[in-house]
Structures are given as structure tokens and as C-alpha cells.
Coordinates of all heavy atoms in Angstrom, one line a residue:
M26 N 3.8 -4.3 19.8 CA 2.5 -4.2 19.0 C 2.2 -5.6 18.5 O 3.0 -6.4 18.1 CB 2.8 -3.3 17.8 CG 1.7 -3.3 16.8 SD 1.9 -2.1 15.4 CE 2.0 -0.6 16.2
E27 N 1.0 -5.9 18.5 CA 0.5 -7.2 18.0 C -0.4 -6.8 16.7 O -1.2 -6.0 16.7 CB -0.4 -7.9 19.0 CG -0.9 -9.2 18.4 CD -1.9 -9.9 19.4 OE1 -1.5 -10.7 20.2 OE2 -3.1 -9.8 19.1
V28 N 0.0 -7.5 15.6 CA -0.7 -7.3 14.4 C -1.1 -8.9 14.0 O -0.3 -9.7 14.0 CB 0.2 -6.8 13.3 CG1 -0.6 -6.7 12.0 CG2 0.8 -5.5 13.6
R29 N -2.4 -9.0 13.7 CA -3.0 -10.1 13.4 C -3.7 -10.1 12.1 O -4.5 -9.1 11.8 CB -4.1 -10.7 14.5 CG -4.7 -11.9 14.3 CD -5.7 -12.4 15.5 NE -4.9 -12.3 16.8 CZ -4.2 -13.3 17.2 NH1 -4.1 -14.4 16.7 NH2 -3.6 -13.2 18.4
V30 N -3.5 -11.0 11.1 CA -4.1 -11.0 9.9 C -4.9 -12.2 9.5 O -4.4 -13.3 9.8 CB -3.0 -10.8 8.6 CG1 -3.7 -10.8 7.2 CG2 -2.2 -9.5 8.8
I31 N -6.0 -12.0 9.2 CA -6.9 -13.2 8.8 C -7.5 -13.0 7.4 O -8.1 -12.1 7.2 CB -8.1 -13.3 9.8 CG1 -7.6 -13.3 11.3 CG2 -9.1 -14.5 9.5 CD1 -8.6 -12.9 12.3
I32 N -7.2 -14.0 6.6 CA -7.7 -14.0 5.3 C -8.2 -15.3 5.0 O -7.7 -16.4 5.0 CB -6.5 -13.8 4.2 CG1 -5.7 -12.6 4.5 CG2 -7.0 -13.7 2.8 CD1 -4.4 -12.4 3.7
G33 N -9.6 -15.3 4.8 CA -10.5 -16.4 4.7 C -10.4 -17.2 6.0 O -10.7 -16.6 7.1
M34 N -9.9 -18.5 5.9 CA -9.8 -19.3 7.2 C -8.4 -19.4 7.7 O -8.2 -20.0 8.7 CB -10.4 -20.7 6.9 CG -11.8 -20.8 6.4 SD -12.9 -20.0 7.5 CE -12.9 -21.3 8.9
S35 N -7.5 -18.6 7.1 CA -6.1 -18.6 7.5 C -5.8 -17.5 8.4 O -6.2 -16.3 8.2 CB -5.1 -18.6 6.3 OG -5.3 -19.8 5.6
E36 N -4.9 -17.7 9.4 CA -4.6 -16.6 10.4 C -3.1 -16.7 10.6 O -2.5 -17.7 10.9 CB -5.4 -16.7 11.6 CG -5.1 -15.7 12.7 CD -6.1 -15.7 13.8 OE1 -7.1 -16.4 13.8 OE2 -5.8 -15.1 14.9
R37 N -2.5 -15.4 10.8 CA -1.0 -15.2 11.1 C -1.0 -14.1 12.0 O -1.7 -13.2 12.0 CB -0.2 -15.1 9.8 CG -0.3 -16.1 8.7 CD 0.7 -17.3 9.1 NE 0.6 -18.3 8.2 CZ 1.4 -18.6 7.2 NH1 2.4 -17.8 7.0 NH2 1.3 -19.7 6.5
V38 N 0.1 -14.2 12.8 CA 0.4 -13.0 13.8 C 1.8 -12.7 13.6 O 2.7 -13.5 13.5 CB 0.0 -13.6 15.3 CG1 0.4 -12.5 16.3 CG2 -1.3 -14.0 15.4
N39 N 2.0 -11.4 13.8 CA 3.4 -10.7 13.7 C 4.3 -11.3 12.8 O 4.1 -11.4 11.5 CB 3.9 -10.6 15.1 CG 3.1 -9.6 15.9 OD1 2.1 -8.9 15.5 ND2 3.5 -9.5 17.3
G40 N 5.5 -11.9 13.3 CA 6.5 -12.4 12.5 C 6.1 -13.5 11.4 O 6.9 -13.9 10.6
D41 N 4.9 -14.1 11.7 CA 4.5 -15.2 10.8 C 3.8 -14.7 9.6 O 3.6 -15.4 8.8 CB 3.6 -16.2 11.6 CG 4.3 -17.0 12.6 OD1 5.5 -17.2 12.5 OD2 3.7 -17.4 13.6
I42 N 3.6 -13.4 9.6 CA 2.9 -12.7 8.4 C 3.9 -12.5 7.4 O 4.9 -11.8 7.6 CB 2.1 -11.5 8.8 CG1 1.1 -11.7 10.0 CG2 1.5 -10.8 7.6 CD1 0.7 -10.4 10.6
R43 N 3.8 -13.1 6.2 CA 4.8 -12.9 5.2 C 4.1 -12.4 4.0 O 2.9 -12.7 3.6 CB 5.5 -14.3 4.7 CG 6.2 -14.9 5.9 CD 7.5 -14.4 6.1 NE 8.4 -15.2 7.0 CZ 8.8 -14.7 8.1 NH1 8.7 -13.5 8.3 NH2 9.4 -15.4 9.0
P44 N 4.8 -11.6 3.2 CA 4.2 -10.9 2.0 C 3.6 -12.0 1.0 O 2.6 -11.8 0.5 CB 5.3 -10.1 1.3 CG 6.1 -9.7 2.4 CD 6.1 -10.9 3.4
N45 N 4.4 -13.1 0.8 CA 4.0 -14.0 -0.2 C 2.8 -14.8 0.4 O 1.9 -15.2 -0.5 CB 5.1 -15.0 -0.6 CG 5.7 -15.8 0.6 OD1 5.5 -15.3 1.7 ND2 6.2 -17.0 0.3
W46 N 2.7 -15.0 1.6 CA 1.5 -15.6 2.2 C 0.3 -14.8 1.9 O -0.8 -15.3 1.5 CB 1.6 -15.8 3.7 CG 0.4 -16.4 4.4 CD1 -0.1 -17.7 4.3 CD2 -0.6 -15.5 5.1 NE1 -1.2 -17.6 5.1 CE2 -1.5 -16.4 5.5 CE3 -0.6 -14.2 5.5 CZ2 -2.7 -16.1 6.3 CZ3 -1.7 -13.8 6.2 CH2 -2.6 -14.7 6.6
V47 N 0.3 -13.5 2.2 CA -0.8 -12.5 2.0 C -1.2 -12.6 0.5 O -2.4 -12.8 0.2 CB -0.4 -11.1 2.3 CG1 -1.4 -10.1 1.9 CG2 -0.1 -10.9 3.8
T48 N -0.2 -12.5 -0.4 CA -0.6 -12.5 -1.8 C -1.2 -13.8 -2.4 O -2.3 -13.8 -2.9 CB 0.7 -12.2 -2.6 OG1 1.3 -10.9 -2.2 CG2 0.4 -12.3 -4.2
E49 N -0.7 -15.0 -1.7 CA -1.2 -16.3 -2.0 C -2.5 -16.4 -1.6 O -3.6 -17.0 -2.3 CB -0.3 -17.4 -1.5 CG 1.1 -17.7 -2.1 CD 1.9 -18.5 -1.4 OE1 1.5 -19.1 -0.4 OE2 3.1 -18.6 -1.8
Q50 N -2.9 -15.9 -0.4 CA -4.3 -16.2 0.1 C -5.3 -15.4 -0.6 O -6.4 -15.8 -0.9 CB -4.3 -15.7 1.7 CG -3.4 -16.7 2.5 CD -3.9 -18.1 2.5 OE1 -5.0 -18.4 2.6 NE2 -2.9 -18.9 2.3
V51 N -4.9 -14.0 -1.0 CA -5.8 -13.2 -1.7 C -6.1 -13.8 -3.0 O -7.2 -13.9 -3.5 CB -5.3 -11.8 -1.8 CG1 -6.0 -10.9 -2.7 CG2 -5.2 -11.1 -0.4
N52 N -5.0 -14.1 -3.8 CA -5.2 -14.7 -5.2 C -6.0 -15.9 -5.1 O -6.6 -16.2 -6.1 CB -3.7 -14.8 -5.9 CG -3.1 -13.4 -6.0 OD1 -3.9 -12.5 -6.3 ND2 -1.9 -13.5 -6.2
R53 N -5.7 -16.9 -4.2 CA -6.4 -18.1 -4.0 C -7.9 -18.0 -3.9 O -8.7 -18.6 -4.6 CB -5.8 -19.0 -3.0 CG -6.4 -20.4 -2.8 CD -5.9 -21.3 -1.7 NE -4.3 -21.5 -2.1 CZ -3.3 -21.4 -1.2 NH1 -3.7 -21.1 0.0 NH2 -2.1 -21.6 -1.6
T54 N -8.2 -17.0 -3.0 CA -9.6 -16.8 -2.8 C -10.3 -16.3 -4.1 O -11.4 -16.6 -4.4 CB -9.8 -15.8 -1.5 OG1 -9.2 -16.3 -0.5 CG2 -11.2 -15.4 -1.3
R55 N -9.6 -15.3 -4.7 CA -10.2 -14.7 -6.0 C -10.3 -15.8 -7.1 O -11.3 -15.8 -7.8 CB -9.4 -13.6 -6.4 CG -9.6 -12.3 -5.6 CD -8.9 -11.2 -6.2 NE -9.3 -9.9 -5.4 CZ -8.4 -9.0 -5.1 NH1 -7.2 -9.0 -5.5 NH2 -8.8 -8.0 -4.4
S56 N -9.3 -16.7 -7.1 CA -9.4 -17.7 -8.2 C -10.5 -18.6 -8.0 O -11.0 -19.3 -8.9 CB -8.1 -18.4 -8.4 OG -7.8 -19.2 -7.2
D57 N -10.9 -18.8 -6.7 CA -12.1 -19.6 -6.3 C -13.4 -18.9 -6.6 O -14.5 -19.5 -6.5 CB -12.1 -20.0 -4.8 CG -11.1 -21.0 -4.5 OD1 -10.4 -21.7 -5.4 OD2 -10.6 -21.0 -3.3
G58 N -13.2 -17.7 -7.0 CA -14.5 -17.0 -7.4 C -15.2 -16.3 -6.2 O -16.3 -15.9 -6.2
S59 N -14.6 -16.4 -4.9 CA -15.0 -15.9 -3.8 C -14.7 -14.4 -3.4 O -13.5 -14.0 -3.8 CB -14.6 -16.6 -2.5 OG -15.1 -18.0 -2.9
P60 N -15.5 -13.6 -2.8 CA -15.0 -12.3 -2.4 C -13.9 -12.4 -1.3 O -13.9 -13.4 -0.5 CB -16.3 -11.6 -1.7 CG -17.1 -12.7 -1.5 CD -16.8 -13.9 -2.3
V61 N -13.0 -11.5 -1.3 CA -11.8 -11.8 -0.4 C -12.2 -10.9 1.0 O -12.5 -9.8 1.0 CB -10.5 -11.1 -0.9 CG1 -9.4 -11.2 0.1 CG2 -10.1 -11.8 -2.3
C62 N -12.2 -11.8 2.1 CA -12.4 -11.2 3.4 C -11.0 -11.2 4.0 O -10.6 -12.3 4.4 CB -13.3 -11.9 4.1 SG -13.5 -11.4 5.9
A63 N -10.4 -10.0 4.2 CA -9.1 -9.9 4.9 C -9.3 -9.0 6.1 O -9.8 -7.9 5.9 CB -8.1 -9.4 3.9
K64 N -8.9 -9.5 7.2 CA -9.1 -8.7 8.5 C -7.7 -8.4 9.0 O -6.8 -9.3 9.0 CB -9.9 -9.4 9.5 CG -11.4 -9.8 9.0 CD -12.0 -10.6 10.0 CE -13.3 -11.2 9.4 NZ -13.9 -12.1 10.2
V65 N -7.5 -7.3 9.5 CA -6.2 -6.8 10.1 C -6.5 -6.2 11.5 O -7.3 -5.3 11.6 CB -5.4 -5.8 9.3 CG1 -4.1 -5.4 10.1 CG2 -5.0 -6.4 7.9
I66 N -6.0 -6.9 12.5 CA -6.2 -6.4 13.9 C -5.0 -5.9 14.4 O -3.9 -6.7 14.4 CB -6.8 -7.5 14.7 CG1 -8.1 -8.0 14.1 CG2 -7.0 -7.1 16.2 CD1 -8.5 -9.5 14.5
V67 N -4.9 -4.8 14.9 CA -3.8 -4.0 15.5 C -4.0 -3.6 16.9 O -5.0 -2.8 17.1 CB -3.3 -2.8 14.5 CG1 -2.0 -2.2 15.0 CG2 -3.2 -3.2 13.1
K68 N -3.1 -4.1 17.8 CA -3.2 -3.6 19.2 C -1.8 -3.2 19.7 O -0.8 -3.8 19.5 CB -3.7 -4.7 20.0 CG -5.1 -5.2 19.7 CD -5.6 -6.2 20.7 CE -7.0 -6.6 20.2 NZ -8.0 -6.5 21.1
D69 N -1.8 -2.0 20.4 CA -0.6 -1.5 20.9 C -1.1 -0.5 22.0 O -2.3 -0.5 22.3 CB 0.2 -0.6 19.8 CG 1.6 -0.5 20.2 OD1 2.1 -1.1 21.2 OD2 2.4 0.2 19.4
T70 N -0.1 0.2 22.6 CA -0.5 1.0 23.7 C -1.6 2.1 23.4 O -2.5 2.2 24.2 CB 0.8 1.9 24.2 OG1 1.8 0.9 24.4 CG2 0.6 2.6 25.4
D71 N -1.5 2.7 22.3 CA -2.5 3.7 21.9 C -3.3 3.4 20.7 O -3.9 4.2 20.0 CB -1.8 5.0 21.8 CG -0.8 5.1 20.6 OD1 -0.3 4.0 20.3 OD2 -0.5 6.2 20.2
I72 N -3.3 2.0 20.3 CA -4.0 1.5 19.1 C -4.8 0.3 19.4 O -4.2 -0.6 20.0 CB -2.9 1.3 18.0 CG1 -2.3 2.6 17.5 CG2 -3.7 0.7 16.7 CD1 -1.1 2.3 16.6
D73 N -6.0 0.3 19.1 CA -6.9 -0.9 19.2 C -7.9 -0.9 18.1 O -8.9 -0.4 18.2 CB -7.5 -0.9 20.6 CG -8.3 -2.3 20.8 OD1 -8.2 -3.1 19.9 OD2 -8.8 -2.5 21.9
L74 N -7.5 -1.4 16.9 CA -8.3 -1.3 15.7 C -8.3 -2.6 15.0 O -7.6 -3.4 15.0 CB -7.7 -0.3 14.7 CG -7.8 1.2 15.0 CD1 -7.2 2.0 14.0 CD2 -9.2 1.6 15.0
S75 N -9.5 -2.7 14.4 CA -9.7 -3.9 13.4 C -10.2 -3.3 12.1 O -11.1 -2.5 12.0 CB -10.8 -4.7 14.0 OG -10.5 -5.4 15.3
F76 N -9.5 -3.9 11.2 CA -9.8 -3.4 9.7 C -10.4 -4.7 9.0 O -10.0 -5.8 9.4 CB -8.6 -3.0 9.0 CG -8.0 -1.7 9.5 CD1 -7.0 -1.8 10.5 CD2 -8.5 -0.5 9.1 CE1 -6.4 -0.6 11.0 CE2 -7.8 0.6 9.5 CZ -6.8 0.6 10.6
A77 N -11.3 -4.4 8.0 CA -11.8 -5.5 7.3 C -12.0 -5.0 5.8 O -12.5 -3.9 5.6 CB -13.1 -6.0 7.9
T78 N -11.7 -5.8 4.8 CA -12.0 -5.5 3.4 C -13.5 -5.6 3.2 O -14.2 -6.2 3.9 CB -11.1 -6.4 2.5 OG1 -11.6 -7.8 2.7 CG2 -9.6 -6.2 2.6
S79 N -14.0 -5.1 2.0 CA -15.4 -5.2 1.7 C -16.0 -6.6 1.5 O -17.2 -6.8 1.6 CB -15.6 -4.4 0.4 OG -15.0 -4.9 -0.6
G80 N -15.0 -7.5 1.3 CA -15.6 -8.9 1.2 C -15.9 -9.6 2.6 O -16.6 -10.7 2.6
C81 N -15.8 -8.9 3.6 CA -16.2 -9.4 5.0 C -17.6 -8.9 5.2 O -17.8 -7.7 5.0 CB -15.2 -8.9 6.1 SG -13.6 -9.4 5.7
S82 N -18.4 -9.7 5.7 CA -19.9 -9.3 5.9 C -20.1 -9.2 7.5 O -19.5 -9.9 8.3 CB -20.8 -10.2 5.4 OG -20.7 -11.6 5.9
G83 N -21.0 -8.4 7.8 CA -21.5 -8.4 9.2 C -20.6 -7.7 10.2 O -20.6 -7.9 11.4
L84 N -19.6 -6.9 9.7 CA -18.8 -6.2 10.6 C -19.2 -4.7 10.8 O -19.3 -4.0 9.7 CB -17.3 -6.3 10.1 CG -16.7 -7.7 10.0 CD1 -15.3 -7.6 9.4 CD2 -16.6 -8.3 11.5
G85 N -19.3 -4.2 12.0 CA -19.7 -2.8 12.2 C -18.5 -2.1 13.0 O -17.7 -2.7 13.5
G86 N -18.5 -0.8 12.8 CA -17.4 0.0 13.4 C -17.8 0.3 14.9 O -19.0 0.2 15.3
G87 N -16.8 0.8 15.6 CA -17.1 1.2 17.0 C -17.5 2.6 17.0 O -17.7 3.3 16.0
S88 N -17.8 3.0 18.2 CA -18.4 4.3 18.4 C -17.5 5.3 19.1 O -17.8 6.5 19.5 CB -19.7 4.3 19.1 OG -19.6 3.6 20.3
R89 N -16.3 4.8 19.7 CA -15.4 5.6 20.5 C -14.6 6.6 19.6 O -14.4 6.4 18.3 CB -14.5 4.9 21.3 CG -13.5 4.0 20.6 CD -12.4 3.3 21.5 NE -11.6 2.6 20.7 CZ -10.5 2.9 20.1 NH1 -10.2 4.2 20.1 NH2 -9.7 2.1 19.4
R90 N -14.0 7.6 20.1 CA -13.1 8.5 19.5 C -11.8 7.9 19.1 O -11.3 7.2 20.1 CB -12.9 9.8 20.3 CG -13.0 11.0 19.6 CD -12.8 12.2 20.6 NE -13.7 13.2 20.5 CZ -13.7 14.0 19.4 NH1 -12.9 13.8 18.4 NH2 -14.6 14.9 19.4
L91 N -11.3 8.1 17.9 CA -9.9 7.4 17.6 C -9.0 8.3 18.0 O -8.9 9.5 18.0 CB -9.9 7.3 16.0 CG -10.9 6.4 15.4 CD1 -10.7 6.3 13.9 CD2 -10.8 4.8 15.9
T92 N -7.7 7.6 18.4 CA -6.5 8.4 18.7 C -5.9 8.9 17.4 O -6.2 8.5 16.4 CB -5.5 7.5 19.4 OG1 -5.0 6.5 18.5 CG2 -6.1 6.8 20.6
G93 N -4.9 9.8 17.6 CA -4.2 10.3 16.4 C -3.6 9.2 15.6 O -3.6 9.2 14.4
A94 N -3.0 8.3 16.3 CA -2.2 7.1 15.4 C -3.3 6.3 14.8 O -3.1 5.8 13.7 CB -1.5 6.2 16.5
E95 N -4.5 6.1 15.4 CA -5.5 5.2 14.7 C -6.1 6.0 13.6 O -6.3 5.4 12.5 CB -6.6 5.0 15.8 CG -6.3 4.1 16.9 CD -7.3 3.9 18.0 OE1 -8.0 4.8 18.2 OE2 -7.3 2.8 18.6
N96 N -6.2 7.3 13.7 CA -6.7 8.1 12.5 C -5.8 8.0 11.4 O -6.1 7.9 10.1 CB -7.0 9.6 12.9 CG -8.3 9.8 13.4 OD1 -9.3 9.3 12.9 ND2 -8.4 10.5 14.4
R97 N -4.5 8.0 11.7 CA -3.5 7.9 10.6 C -3.5 6.6 10.0 O -3.4 6.4 8.7 CB -2.1 8.2 11.2 CG -1.8 9.6 11.4 CD -0.4 9.9 11.8 NE 0.0 9.3 13.1 CZ -0.2 10.0 14.2 NH1 -0.9 11.0 14.4 NH2 0.2 9.2 15.3
M98 N -3.9 5.5 10.7 CA -4.0 4.2 10.2 C -5.2 4.0 9.4 O -5.1 3.4 8.3 CB -4.0 3.1 11.4 CG -2.8 3.1 12.0 SD -2.8 1.8 13.4 CE -3.0 0.3 12.5
V99 N -6.3 4.7 9.7 CA -7.6 4.5 8.9 C -7.2 5.3 7.6 O -7.7 4.7 6.5 CB -8.7 5.2 9.7 CG1 -10.0 5.4 8.8 CG2 -9.1 4.3 10.9
D100 N -6.6 6.5 7.6 CA -6.3 7.1 6.5 C -5.5 6.3 5.5 O -5.7 6.2 4.3 CB -5.6 8.5 6.8 CG -6.4 9.5 7.3 OD1 -7.7 9.3 7.2 OD2 -5.9 10.4 8.0
L101 N -4.5 5.6 6.0 CA -3.6 4.8 5.2 C -4.3 3.6 4.6 O -4.1 3.3 3.4 CB -2.3 4.2 6.1 CG -1.4 3.4 5.3 CD1 -0.8 4.1 4.1 CD2 -0.3 3.0 6.3
W102 N -5.3 3.0 5.4 CA -6.1 1.9 4.9 C -6.9 2.3 3.7 O -6.9 1.7 2.5 CB -7.0 1.4 5.9 CG -7.9 0.3 5.6 CD1 -9.2 0.4 5.1 CD2 -7.7 -1.1 5.7 NE1 -9.8 -0.9 4.9 CE2 -8.9 -1.7 5.3 CE3 -6.6 -1.9 6.0 CZ2 -8.9 -3.1 5.3 CZ3 -6.6 -3.3 6.0 CH2 -7.8 -3.8 5.6
R103 N -7.6 3.6 3.8 CA -8.2 4.1 2.6 C -7.3 4.5 1.4 O -7.6 4.3 0.4 CB -8.9 5.4 3.1 CG -10.1 5.1 4.0 CD -10.9 6.2 4.4 NE -11.9 5.9 5.3 CZ -12.3 6.6 6.4 NH1 -11.6 7.7 6.7 NH2 -13.2 6.2 7.2
K104 N -6.1 5.1 1.8 CA -5.2 5.5 0.7 C -4.7 4.3 -0.1 O -4.5 4.4 -1.4 CB -4.0 6.2 1.5 CG -2.9 6.6 0.3 CD -1.8 7.2 1.1 CE -0.6 7.4 0.2 NZ 0.5 8.0 0.8
R105 N -4.6 3.2 0.5 CA -4.2 1.8 -0.1 C -5.4 1.2 -0.9 O -5.2 0.1 -1.3 CB -3.5 0.9 0.8 CG -2.3 1.5 1.5 CD -1.1 1.3 0.5 NE 0.1 1.9 1.3 CZ 1.2 2.3 0.6 NH1 1.1 2.2 -0.7 NH2 2.2 2.7 1.2
H106 N -6.5 1.8 -0.7 CA -7.8 1.2 -1.5 C -8.2 -0.1 -0.9 O -8.7 -0.9 -1.7 CB -7.6 1.2 -3.0 CG -7.2 2.6 -3.5 ND1 -8.1 3.7 -3.7 CD2 -6.0 3.0 -3.9 CE1 -7.5 4.7 -4.2 NE2 -6.2 4.3 -4.4
L107 N -7.8 -0.3 0.3 CA -8.2 -1.6 0.9 C -9.7 -1.7 1.3 O -10.2 -2.8 1.6 CB -7.3 -1.9 2.1 CG -5.9 -2.0 1.8 CD1 -5.0 -2.0 3.1 CD2 -5.6 -3.2 0.9
N108 N -10.4 -0.7 1.0 CA -11.9 -0.7 1.2 C -12.5 -1.0 -0.1 O -13.8 -1.1 -0.2 CB -12.6 0.5 1.9 CG -12.0 1.7 1.3 OD1 -11.0 1.8 0.6 ND2 -12.7 2.9 1.5
D109 N -11.8 -1.1 -1.2 CA -12.4 -1.5 -2.5 C -12.5 -3.0 -2.7 O -11.5 -3.8 -2.2 CB -11.5 -0.9 -3.6 CG -11.5 0.7 -3.6 OD1 -12.4 1.2 -2.9 OD2 -10.5 1.2 -4.3
D110 N -13.4 -3.5 -3.5 CA -13.5 -4.9 -3.7 C -12.3 -5.5 -4.4 O -12.0 -6.6 -4.2 CB -14.8 -5.2 -4.6 CG -16.1 -5.0 -3.8 OD1 -16.1 -5.1 -2.7 OD2 -17.1 -4.9 -4.6
D111 N -11.7 -4.8 -5.3 CA -10.6 -5.3 -6.1 C -9.3 -4.8 -5.7 O -8.3 -4.6 -6.5 CB -10.9 -5.0 -7.6 CG -11.0 -3.6 -8.0 OD1 -11.1 -2.7 -7.0 OD2 -11.0 -3.2 -9.1
F112 N -9.1 -4.6 -4.4 CA -7.8 -4.1 -3.9 C -6.7 -5.1 -4.3 O -6.9 -6.3 -4.5 CB -7.8 -4.0 -2.3 CG -7.8 -5.3 -1.6 CD1 -6.7 -5.9 -1.3 CD2 -9.0 -6.0 -1.3 CE1 -6.7 -7.1 -0.5 CE2 -9.0 -7.2 -0.6 CZ -7.8 -7.8 -0.4
A113 N -5.5 -4.5 -4.6 CA -4.4 -5.2 -4.9 C -3.6 -5.8 -3.7 O -3.5 -5.2 -2.6 CB -3.3 -4.3 -5.6
P114 N -3.3 -7.1 -3.7 CA -2.5 -7.7 -2.6 C -1.4 -6.9 -2.1 O -1.1 -7.0 -1.0 CB -2.3 -9.2 -3.1 CG -3.1 -9.4 -4.3 CD -3.5 -8.1 -4.8
G115 N -0.7 -6.4 -3.1 CA 0.4 -5.6 -2.8 C 0.1 -4.3 -1.8 O 1.0 -3.9 -1.0
N116 N -1.0 -3.9 -2.1 CA -1.5 -2.7 -1.2 C -1.7 -3.2 0.2 O -1.3 -2.4 1.2 CB -2.7 -2.0 -1.6 CG -2.4 -1.2 -2.9 OD1 -1.3 -0.9 -3.2 ND2 -3.5 -0.7 -3.6
L117 N -2.2 -4.3 0.4 CA -2.3 -4.9 1.8 C -1.0 -5.1 2.4 O -0.6 -4.9 3.6 CB -3.1 -6.2 1.9 CG -3.4 -6.9 3.2 CD1 -4.0 -5.9 4.2 CD2 -4.3 -8.2 2.9
V118 N -0.1 -5.7 1.6 CA 1.3 -5.9 2.0 C 2.0 -4.6 2.5 O 2.7 -4.5 3.4 CB 2.2 -6.7 0.9 CG1 3.6 -6.7 1.3 CG2 1.7 -8.0 0.7
A119 N 1.8 -3.5 1.6 CA 2.4 -2.2 1.9 C 1.7 -1.7 3.2 O 2.5 -1.1 4.0 CB 2.1 -1.2 0.7
F120 N 0.4 -1.8 3.4 CA -0.1 -1.4 4.7 C 0.6 -2.2 5.8 O 0.8 -1.5 6.9 CB -1.6 -1.7 4.6 CG -2.4 -1.3 5.8 CD1 -2.7 -0.1 6.1 CD2 -2.7 -2.4 6.9 CE1 -3.4 0.4 7.3 CE2 -3.3 -2.0 8.0 CZ -3.9 -0.6 8.2
L121 N 0.7 -3.5 5.7 CA 1.4 -4.2 6.9 C 2.9 -3.8 7.1 O 3.2 -3.9 8.2 CB 1.3 -5.7 6.5 CG -0.2 -6.2 6.4 CD1 -0.3 -7.7 6.0 CD2 -0.9 -6.1 7.9
K122 N 3.4 -3.5 6.1 CA 4.8 -3.0 6.2 C 5.0 -1.8 7.1 O 6.1 -1.6 7.7 CB 5.5 -2.7 4.8 CG 5.8 -4.1 4.1 CD 6.7 -3.8 2.9 CE 7.0 -5.2 2.3 NZ 8.0 -5.2 1.3
Q123 N 4.0 -1.0 7.3 CA 4.0 0.1 8.2 C 4.2 -0.4 9.7 O 4.6 0.4 10.5 CB 2.7 0.9 8.1 CG 2.5 1.4 6.7 CD 3.5 2.4 6.3 OE1 3.8 3.4 7.0 NE2 4.0 2.2 5.1
F124 N 4.0 -1.6 9.8 CA 4.1 -2.2 11.2 C 5.3 -3.1 11.3 O 5.4 -3.9 12.2 CB 2.8 -2.9 11.7 CG 1.6 -2.2 11.3 CD1 0.7 -2.7 10.3 CD2 1.2 -1.1 12.0 CE1 -0.4 -2.0 10.0 CE2 0.1 -0.4 11.7 CZ -0.7 -0.9 10.7
G125 N 6.1 -3.1 10.4 CA 7.4 -3.9 10.3 C 7.1 -5.3 10.0 O 7.9 -6.3 10.3
I126 N 6.0 -5.6 9.3 CA 5.7 -7.0 8.9 C 6.3 -7.2 7.5 O 6.4 -6.4 6.7 CB 4.1 -7.1 8.8 CG1 3.5 -6.9 10.1 CG2 3.8 -8.5 8.2 CD1 3.9 -7.8 11.3

């Protein structure tokens, strides 16, 4: 499985994604007074999804039917409130831990 996280202008992949990096990037962006744009891209055999927080602009969803695994991931994204402007960095970390990050 490939997991890619982009927060602002910083990007990490799989084993390079660290909880403290996620927290630092989110907090740094907020302290600058900017909306946090965090993107998570997950690709695997039966998963091909891109998630984005509300601070990202110009992103639209796809029109294909989601797999069962993808639906569970979408539900988890919502459960962790990652579609809210003021999401907690720890919730993004908890979401990523589902993938062994």
C-alpha cells in the first residue's frame, strides 16, 4: 500500500510520515493564520482514494462506485472530523495509523 501525505508544501510517503511531522505541519500552518490543506492519497489493490481537508480548494470528487474498503475509509475520515476546518492534528494521525503509519 502506498500512502502519501501532503500538508501545505511538504510531502511525505509511507515510512517517512511521522506523527510529530503531521502535528508540526498542521500547527505551523494554523499559527501562520492560513487554512490547513492536508491531502492523503491511498493506493492499494482495491483502494485508490484521495482525501483533502476543507482548507484545500478546487478539489472535486470522482464519480465511480467505491469499493467496500474505500467506503470504510471515507467513513473513518468523517468519523475523525477531518472534513471540519478545525480538525485536530491527532485525528489525522489516528486516521493514518489505520495504514500502519
Side-chain angles (χ1 to χ4, degrees):
M26 175 180 296
E27 179 182 279
V28 178
R29 182 176 304 274
V30 177
I31 305 162
I32 303 174
M34 301 301 289
S35 298
E36 181 174 343
R37 299 276 173 101
V38 178
N39 291 355
D41 290 335
I42 303 166
R43 302 274 186 242
N45 62 333
W46 173 80
V47 171
T48 302
E49 287 170 7
Q50 295 303 311
V51 171
N52 289 339
R53 181 176 299 136
T54 302
R55 285 190 174 140
S56 70
D57 290 343
S59 301
V61 178
C62 177
K64 300 174 192 171
V65 178
I66 302 156
V67 182
K68 294 186 186 235
D69 201 8
T70 307
D71 60 341
I72 299 171
D73 186 2
L74 284 179
S75 296
F76 295 91
T78 59
S79 62
C81 303
S82 60
L84 298 172
S88 60
R89 69 172 174 80
R90 223 178 226 293
L91 299 177
T92 67
E95 290 173 333
N96 273 317
R97 287 187 292 279
M98 291 176 69
V99 169
D100 289 343
L101 182 60
W102 181 265
R103 290 181 183 139
K104 179 182 174 186
R105 299 279 180 204
H106 304 284
L107 294 169
N108 49 343
D109 295 345
D110 288 339
D111 59 347
F112 71 91
N116 284 350
L117 182 53
V118 170
F120 179 79
L121 294 169
K122 285 188 177 191
Q123 300 298 310
F124 314 109
I126 300 301

